[in-house]
Amino acid sequence: MTRIQKLTPETTGKIAAGEVVERPFNVVKELIENSLDASATRIVLEIEGGGKRSIRIDDDGTGIAAEDLTRAVENYSTSKITSIDDIYRIRSLGFRGEALASINAVSRMTIRSMEEGAEVGREIHWVGGGIRSDGPFVRTVGTEILVEDLFFNLPARKKFLSSDASETRRIVAAVQGFALAWSQTAFVVRSNGREVLSFPAGTLEERVEMVLGPSVFPHLKQFSMTDGNIKVSGYASMPSMTKGTRASQFMFVNGRAVKDRLLGHAVRQAYQSIIPGDRFPIAVLMLDVPPDMLDVNVHPTKAEVRFENDRDIHRLVSSSIRGILEEKTVSFQDKVESVYKSIFPRDHGSSEVDGVSTPDSYTEPEAGRSDWLFQESPQPLFEKDSEKVRGQVSTGLYWQLHDSYIMIQIRGGMVIIDQHAAHERILYDQARRNVDGEKPAVQSLLFPATLELSPEEFDNFEKVVETLPGLGFEAEPFGMRTIIVRGIPAGVRNWDDGRLLRTILSDLGRGLPATDSILRSFACHSAVRAGEPLTLEEMESLTDQLFATEFPFTCPHGRPTMLRVEMRELEKRFQRTPKTEG
Ligand code: ADP
Ligand code: MG
């Protein structure tokens, strides 16, 4: 058996280096952080062979004092903190004092630096951590660091590196991230002598447009919100622009790029029920928090942080982004309201204030509106409305296509509504309000139904038993795996002797379902299906209620509920000019 031995400093150095430096990207990240910490206003990065052959960074920061240059590459040497408590005070990106030491241990490194006010700077060349040459050097104030042959002395690690192209992509993406967070600093990147990025110093807006590109920028909207000494700001995309991956979400905490689940979740939540679950919004999120509310020392490459008050932060991020999404919807809704008014030039539901017509029936849905589908409902809510409407709108203006789509003639053309998606949106909004505390309208069953559930369904029933009453289900356990249902939400159409509730329950899967997924499942299974014929009143009522929801244009899964076809479009397709006759 081999005896236990203490490792040589050379070996421990290489092991430690592996923590910080996994690939060229990590080197670049650490070097840029150092330049930014040194207040550089311009950073030039040149890589060769994806950074595997060489990485060179040049900055105009404060420089390193000649007498400190050997110390800079010693492990745990830093000018940024003196004790662990300092990391709760600092705003610098670095603090561990191990990056240069780690990089130095696994490469051939050269540093040339000159400090402000010095007459002469210094240049040192190391190989695998050992000094090979050392002498005076003169340059402008700032630092140049050259890292060659990364992992030349760790061949095993070297084998795990990817192709030049993919290492380059990672590096460029990292620089783009820094560029977003540090718009006042100019960045230039060259790869194998070719310039691949060049961002002059500018405002955040200019930088965001440059980094994300002119095709994306018009779909972004700025947000900003402050709560005490926490500030969140940035840009997020309208539902019109989403991506298939999270790659276009950039998050920074005090200028540090982070991959944070909490922040990611908060962004997701802002788009809840507005975009499909498998799409990702584009977002540049900057969070500024006092350093003492933050632990930056929880991850080897500092890519994660921990917040003292994560709930507040989650809420702030989510509501600031939700704010800009709702703004947009309101103005879009205004448009549809005018469209809608052209269908129903009615006088009810509007109040004249100073000559301005406010269609209040769209923004303040009355309780119990979901009764519309029950013909036998004691007070069909829109009876009065429908009568008035009938007087003004010829019945021919509503038409159901293949028992699935409602087509409505409007002044400028027509609107096509997907009846299932629209009803889903209505039921979802209703259920959301009910779960949030409004009293749901319940339809009592004349004969309470007993349902025998599968073990999984019963399991799920127990998990959501608290949420069900909010939706309008009056159900309770009734012996082993059996439940008794006395009431169901008013407005649900396909109760189907309990199949509806069973489907919702088995749909929830394992694990604790989030309220939102219960709501979506409920809305989806309860909604009128494609293929079901609707009466004229039902079509009217569905349309009416759809416009009363908060996000009428998408279903809770984010798919569109309606399309609009303009007369102009038809005229174009029939190659008519608006005046053509015959
Ligand atoms: P840390 O950034 O955690 O302090 P590093 O190993 O990255 O540790 O750097 C060690 C020290 O070298 C820094 O604290 C800083 O004083 C100095 N340094 C490194 N890079 C630069 C630079 N580009 N400009 C000025 N000083 C630098
Ligand atoms: Mg550093």
Side-chain angles (χ1 to χ4, degrees):
M1 217 203 211
T2 319
R3 306 293 302 271
I4 297 175
Q5 289 169 347
K6 192 140 176 85
L7 296 172
T8 62
E10 206 204 334
T11 309
T12 53
K14 285 189 200 170
I15 292 174
E19 277 262 288
V20 181
V21 185
E22 197 193 332
R23 47 186 0 120
F25 149 83
N26 305 94
V27 174
V28 168
K29 174 178 170 290
E30 294 291 342
L31 296 179
I32 292 181
E33 287 188 356
N34 283 343
S35 296
L36 291 169
D37 281 347
S39 314
T41 65
R42 182 179 155 82
I43 297 175
V44 178
L45 173 74
E46 294 172 328
I47 56 171
E48 287 190 11
K52 294 183 275 186
R53 202 152 57 239
S54 75
I55 297 169
R56 179 199 300 272
I57 190 166
D58 189 292
D59 71 45
D60 62 354
T62 53
I64 305 172
E67 63 270 28
D68 282 348
L69 193 51
T70 50
R71 191 163 308 136
V73 304
E74 281 169 19
N75 219 340
Y76 312 119
S77 312
T78 177
S79 55
K80 297 166 194 172
I81 62 171
T82 55
S83 84
I84 188 69
D85 297 330
D86 289 345
I87 67 168
Y88 301 103
R89 266 171 244 146
I90 50 141
R91 282 191 167 269
S92 62
L93 298 168
F95 52 83
R96 292 208 187 107
E98 59 185 3
L100 289 187
S102 301
I103 298 164
N104 197 10
V106 293
S107 70
R108 304 176 211 275
M109 184 159 92
T110 310
I111 302 184
R112 304 181 175 119
S113 190
M114 187 137 128
E115 197 194 15
E116 176 125 63
E119 267 165 33
V120 54
R122 188 173 175 185
E123 170 190 80
I124 302 183
H125 178 63
W126 295 263
V127 173
I131 294 188
R132 291 302 148 87
S133 70
D134 181 354
F137 187 82
V138 176
R139 55 160 285 152
T140 53
V141 174
T143 305
E144 177 191 346
I145 300 182
L146 176 63
V147 176
E148 293 168 295
D149 280 340
L150 188 64
F151 299 135
F152 79 95
N153 52 357
L154 272 186
R157 179 56 70 95
K158 201 169 178 171
K159 270 193 256 165
F160 283 99
L161 298 181
S162 314
S163 67
D164 289 9
S166 86
E167 295 293 346
T168 303
R169 260 199 306 279
R170 258 183 248 248
I171 290 172
V172 170
V175 178
Q176 286 177 319
F178 279 110
L180 284 171
W182 300 77
S183 64
Q184 322 262 39
T185 305
F187 289 85
V188 176
V189 178
R190 291 187 201 108
S191 170
N192 300 333
R194 201 171 56 86
E195 186 173 290
V196 290
L197 270 189
S198 175
F199 299 139
T203 62
L204 174 63
E205 184 179 354
E206 290 164 341
R207 192 50 74 75
V208 168
E209 179 163 15
M210 251 183 278
V211 174
L212 297 181
S215 59
V216 169
F217 190 72
H219 296 269
L220 302 181
K221 214 161 167 190
Q222 194 174 15
F223 58 89
S224 166
M225 211 182 245
T226 310
D227 177 12
N229 39 19
I230 308 172
K231 181 177 178 206
V232 56
S233 60
Y235 287 81
S237 64
M238 295 291 105
S240 53
M241 174 66 83
T242 57
K243 297 262 170 163
T245 71
R246 233 179 273 275
S248 295
Q249 298 187 353
F250 303 87
M251 313 202 180
F252 306 95
V253 178
N254 294 350
R256 180 190 305 284
V258 293
K259 296 211 180 329
D260 188 80
R261 281 223 208 95
L262 175 88
L263 297 179
H265 185 266
V267 171
R268 173 89 263 161
Q269 179 130 319
Y271 289 83
Q272 181 79 264
S273 93
I274 301 179
I275 64 171
D278 57 353
R279 302 295 299 174
F280 298 89
I282 298 162
V284 178
L285 179 82
M286 320 270 183
L287 189 66
D288 275 296
V289 300
D292 64 344
M293 287 187 181
L294 189 69
D295 195 346
V296 287
N297 192 26
V298 293
H299 190 261
T301 64
K302 301 169 286 181
E304 287 170 18
V305 292
R306 209 160 283 154
F307 301 105
E308 184 191 282
N309 41 355
D310 45 10
R311 275 159 177 265
D312 298 343
I313 286 172
H314 189 279
R315 194 169 338 108
L316 188 65
V317 169
S318 223
S319 56
S320 60
I321 297 180
R322 188 77 176 187
I324 57 167
L325 297 174
E326 283 172 0
E327 261 173 49
K328 173 75 181 182
T329 306
V330 166
S331 67
F332 196 179
Q333 188 159 341
D334 284 345
K335 251 195 239 154
V336 170
E337 270 167 9
S338 64
V339 167
Y340 188 75
K341 270 198 278 183
S342 72
I343 315 171
F344 300 130
R346 56 184 183 178
D347 43 24
H348 68 280
S350 303
S351 50
E352 292 271 327
V353 184
D354 296 335
V356 182
S357 159
T358 49
D360 50 16
S361 69
Y362 308 140
T363 46
E364 287 166 37
E366 300 130 51
R369 265 197 173 190
S370 62
D371 286 354
W372 67 276
L373 278 170
F374 279 100
Q375 295 290 299
E376 66 276 31
S377 165
Q379 272 185 318
L381 258 138
F382 281 83
E383 193 179 89
K384 236 176 48 214
D385 291 8
S386 307
E387 260 160 33
K388 283 197 183 173
V389 166
R390 225 169 284 140
Q392 291 158 346
V393 183
S394 90
T395 51
L397 295 186
Y398 278 95
W399 195 59
Q400 196 186 18
L401 179 70
H402 288 296
D403 292 343
S404 302
Y405 298 98
I406 304 169
M407 309 184 56
I408 310 167
Q409 176 179 318
I410 58 169
R411 201 161 285 153
M414 77 172 163
V415 175
I416 308 173
I417 294 180
D418 177 329
Q419 65 188 41
H420 174 70
H423 198 202
E424 259 189 299
R425 165 54 72 193
I426 293 165
L427 293 176
Y428 175 88
D429 273 37
Q430 180 79 46
R432 162 76 44 219
R433 282 198 301 274
N434 291 340
V435 167
D436 289 347
E438 242 173 63
K439 220 174 124 45
V442 178
Q443 172 97 3
S444 291
L445 293 176
L446 203 48
F447 303 102
T450 46
L451 304 181
E452 199 181 317
L453 303 178
S454 74
E456 201 196 344
E457 288 163 0
F458 192 74
D459 234 33
N460 285 335
F461 173 77
E462 292 193 305
K463 281 184 212 141
V464 300
V465 73
E466 308 268 295
T467 314
L468 290 177
L471 293 175
F473 286 105
E474 290 176 352
E476 59 202 71
F478 190 68
M480 283 268 286
R481 289 201 291 148
T482 304
I483 59 170
I484 182 159
V485 186
R486 300 180 198 281
I488 63 171
V492 308
R493 189 172 172 98
N494 29 25
W495 168 240
D496 204 5
D497 292 330
R499 261 255 305 278
L500 171 66
L501 185 56
R502 298 185 57 153
T503 316
I504 295 173
L505 291 175
S506 59
D507 204 35
L508 292 174
R510 292 166 214 289
L512 197 66
T515 308
D516 200 68
S517 60
I518 306 172
L519 296 186
R520 271 190 297 206
S521 169
F522 162 72
C524 179
H525 295 300
S526 312
V528 54
R529 304 200 178 288
E532 286 187 45
L534 298 180
T535 63
L536 175 65
E537 288 78 10
E538 286 173 333
M539 288 193 270
E540 283 174 3
S541 183
L542 185 90
T543 310
D544 210 349
Q545 291 185 73
L546 178 64
F547 286 129
T549 61
E550 205 181 344
F551 296 104
F553 306 103
T554 54
C555 80
H557 305 97
R559 290 187 293 270
T561 53
M562 67 179 97
L563 301 176
R564 212 177 134 166
V565 181
E566 307 266 351
M567 283 304 277
R568 248 174 294 135
E569 173 72 16
L570 292 177
E571 279 153 8
K572 215 171 76 194
R573 288 186 176 244
F574 285 112
Q575 300 176 5
R576 284 169 72 105
T577 57
K579 289 210 175 66
T580 309
E581 282 300 329

